[in-house]
């Protein structure tokens, strides 16, 4: 796939708006936050996250598993044809930190 710089930043702005709306909707409501990249991407983090969720819910830890398998590469160059343009567009921005996980 090819992603234009305009599409990239439009999508980032949309996602940030959704995140802010989510934060506002949850304000004052007790909840737990789970983020895919931080909490579910790696097997070790999945186990820690599930333990955290069980603890939050007041439940005993339980071994969890899934039949789902990751089907895409984490390497941007395997997915995006113009990956160098995307890297260049994000470099020097607050979003540059996301280049490290993919």
């Amino acid at each position: 796939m090819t992603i234009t710089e305009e599409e990239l930043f439009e999508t980032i702005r949309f996602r940030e708006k959704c995140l802010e709306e989510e934060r506002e909707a949850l304000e004052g409501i007790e909840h737990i936050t789970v983020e895919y990249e931080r909490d579910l991407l790696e097997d070790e983090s999945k186990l820690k996250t599930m333990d955290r969720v069980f603890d939050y819910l007041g439940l005993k830890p339980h071994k969890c598993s899934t039949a789902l398998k990751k089907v895409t590469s984490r390497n941007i160059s395997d997915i995006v044809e113009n990956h160098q343009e995307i890297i260049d567009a994000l470099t020097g921005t607050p979003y540059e930190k996301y280049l490290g996980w993919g």
Side-chain angles (χ1 to χ4, degrees):
M1 83 169 73
T2 301
I3 302 170
T4 67
E5 189 173 327
E6 181 181 315
E7 290 170 324
L8 174 67
F9 285 104
E10 185 177 304
T11 300
I12 289 172
R13 284 189 295 273
F14 174 75
R15 297 293 307 250
E16 286 182 329
K17 182 178 180 259
C18 289
L19 251 165
E20 184 56 34
E21 289 173 357
E22 180 182 312
R23 284 186 192 109
E24 289 173 9
L26 291 171
E27 193 172 319
I29 299 172
E30 192 175 338
H31 66 280
I32 188 169
T33 300
V34 177
E35 295 177 10
Y36 177 76
E37 289 83 4
R38 181 191 69 200
D39 300 317
L40 301 172
L41 187 60
E42 304 297 334
D43 287 340
E44 184 177 325
S45 61
K46 286 178 196 171
L47 297 173
K48 289 179 182 177
T49 298
M50 291 313 303
D51 286 344
R52 187 167 54 97
V53 170
F54 288 132
D55 183 59
Y56 176 81
L57 295 173
L59 301 171
K60 292 180 185 176
H62 179 76
K63 185 176 179 182
C64 299
S65 63
T66 180
L68 301 176
K69 301 281 184 205
K70 186 168 178 69
V71 295
T72 60
S73 168
R74 289 182 63 203
N75 193 334
I76 189 173
S77 65
D78 292 339
I79 302 169
V80 180
E81 291 178 21
N82 62 327
H83 63 277
Q84 190 58 53
E85 291 174 37
I86 297 304
I87 291 169
D88 293 344
L90 292 175
T91 300
T93 73
Y95 313 109
E96 182 175 22
K97 62 184 176 188
Y98 297 115
L99 293 173
W101 74 266

